[in-house]
Amino acid sequence: MATEGETWTTVQKHDGVLSFDDVDHPYGDEDEAALEAEVNGNWTPQEKALHEARLKAKAKRRVRKSSSRSESLSESLSGELADGDSYSSKGKVPVPNDRKSRTGKGRGLPKKGGAGGKGVWGAAGMVYEVEEPDAKDPNYDEVAQGDTVYATVVPEVDERELEKTVNPIVREYFEHGDTKEVQMLLKELNLGHHKYEFSSLAVSLSLEGKASHRELTSRLLRDLVGKVLSDSDMARAFDKILKELPDLMLDTPEAPQMLGQFIARAIADHALPMAFLDRYKGKVDCDHARAALDRAAVLLSMKREMVRLDNVWGVGGGLRPVKHLVKEMNFLLKEYLVSGEVKEAERCLRDLEVPHFHHELVYEAVVMVLESKGDTAVKMCKLLQAFWKIGLITVDQMNRGFQRVYDELPEINLDVPHAHSIMESFTDLCYQESVITKQLRDSCPSRGRKRFVSEGDGGLIKN
């Protein structure tokens, strides 16, 4: 029987089954002796307590050893998952009441160091800093944040929209002539780095207009410098116009001479620096630009002192003083009496650009006829007839001019004794040439006949 038992245990070992001797018993030799003493009933109370303490210590060591083995197993499995091998969570054996991370990482400590969880505001002794209010916070109160400042942001005008924005402002300025309104409009716009192009566009538009428009543009450039534009902005604007001068000549052949006058006027008005012309000496390849710069240099050299070239654009527009307009019309009539050129007189009158003030020309022409002798009446009648036929002087302006002479005829008669007779003959001549109407001729005042006898002589006239 002993032989069969030994062979059986040997066979079982070879078959892969552990024998009873290979099992690690939890009790040592001392324990076995203690158990035998306990069975026999020979233990003292002290020995019994010591034995229980040993059992508890050994059980704790066994739990620690099993936990370290399971932790090493989980680390090996996580390493295999990291290498890309498929791993099923079904193979894991969950440990009851285990609060450790399922990934096998961590030391089993409380989350957030004990500062997390429901109703917890952080770890003990933690001091929070002042946080800036978030406008997206549902509890954000705009009123409680203090004074709120609202600022209007004006977007910068695009270069493609610049011309559409500036042209109406300049054309409206040609109508009212108020530079302060233009300054206000430009301050409301955000031109950005295209600010200098306003001056170039204004000059280009005035080149296509009348002399009064160019005069208004020169005044505008003078008033904008230092308030809206700087000297460098003005210099950049004229640099651009000089480069575009060949294209401007397609619409305005006199553009080089006009641009030279603009440059001279701007330098005289201190809108351009004095060194503007010096920068271009010997550096200009374009003949048109050179002509414009030469024109400006000549105009500036004509002045002994640096004063404003107020008359660089001539006299034009109703913005000129009345006395100046009267003086120019007198000069026009005197020049016509000497030369007899109706076309030149017509050009000068049109350049004045005061169609509402043409009645002054009629008044001055009639007064000149009353104060002069010879064929002055015939020449003036011819001039008024020419202006009447081309529509330069309207019926209203003609009637108003003659009526002013009629009203002032008694005063004129003090200096010109024969004013009434001259006036009657001149109105008859103008009526024959279809210059005035019959009603205007009949309204001419006539001088009463002077009596040389008393009231009681029966109306007889002394020889």
Side-chain angles (χ1 to χ4, degrees), residues 169 178-189 220 222-225 227-228:
I169 298 176
D178 189 0
T179 59
K180 293 184 179 180
E181 183 175 349
V182 178
Q183 294 177 18
M184 180 184 65
L185 294 175
L186 291 181
K187 289 180 180 179
E188 294 177 356
L189 295 176
L220 179 62
R222 178 193 65 197
D223 294 343
L224 290 180
V225 172
K227 299 178 181 178
V228 180

Side-chain angles (χ1 to χ4, degrees), residues 107-331:
R107 296 176 297 168
L109 299 177
K111 293 183 179 180
K112 299 182 181 180
K118 184 176 180 180
V120 179
W121 286 70
M126 182 180 294
V127 178
Y128 292 94
E129 298 180 355
V130 180
E131 297 182 358
E132 294 293 333
D134 187 6
K136 297 181 180 180
D137 189 354
N139 298 325
Y140 177 78
D141 188 4
E142 183 178 1
V143 180
Q145 306 307 321
D147 296 336
T148 303
V149 179
Y150 297 94
T152 303
V153 179
V154 181
E156 182 177 345
V157 179
D158 190 15
E159 185 177 2
R160 294 171 293 182
E161 301 294 332
L162 181 63
E163 187 173 354
K164 296 181 181 180
T165 306
V166 170
N167 282 358
I169 298 176
V170 177
R171 296 188 183 278
E172 185 178 358
Y173 167 71
F174 289 158
E175 298 295 332
H176 57 72
D178 189 0
T179 59
K180 293 184 179 180
E181 183 175 349
V182 178
Q183 294 177 18
M184 180 184 65
L185 294 175
L186 291 181
K187 289 180 180 179
E188 294 177 356
L189 295 176
N190 184 11
L191 298 179
H193 58 281
H194 301 294
K195 188 184 301 183
Y196 72 96
E197 295 190 14
F198 175 81
S199 302
S200 60
L201 290 174
V203 173
S204 301
L205 289 176
S206 64
L207 292 178
E208 302 174 0
K210 300 179 289 187
S212 61
H213 295 168
R214 293 187 283 274
E215 174 65 25
L216 290 173
T217 304
S218 295
R219 295 183 184 182
L220 179 62
L221 298 181
R222 178 193 65 197
D223 294 343
L224 290 180
V225 172
K227 299 178 181 178
V228 180
L229 303 176
S230 61
D231 296 343
S232 59
D233 293 334
M234 199 66 64
R236 290 183 63 187
F238 279 99
D239 290 339
K240 181 181 179 181
I241 300 173
L242 286 172
K243 295 178 182 179
E244 297 176 353
L245 196 55
D247 297 333
L248 295 175
M249 290 185 62
L250 299 176
D251 298 329
T252 309
E254 300 86 4
Q257 289 74 21
M258 293 182 181
L259 183 57
Q261 294 176 357
F262 264 116
I263 296 174
R265 177 69 178 272
I267 294 176
D269 290 342
H270 304 288
L272 273 179
M274 289 292 298
F276 181 78
L277 294 178
D278 298 336
R279 295 188 308 172
Y280 283 97
K281 286 185 177 180
K283 301 179 182 179
V284 182
D285 298 332
C286 180
D287 296 336
H288 306 303
R290 190 182 301 109
L293 296 172
D294 292 342
R295 175 67 174 169
V298 169
L299 290 175
L300 292 173
S301 63
M302 291 172 60
K303 295 292 181 181
R304 296 180 181 178
E305 299 179 358
M306 184 52 62
V307 295
R308 293 177 180 175
L309 301 173
D310 288 338
N311 296 327
V312 69
W313 301 116
V315 180
L319 300 177
R320 294 293 187 179
V322 175
K323 292 182 179 180
H324 196 78
L325 292 174
V326 173
K327 183 179 178 180
E328 289 294 326
M329 289 186 176
N330 270 320
F331 182 76

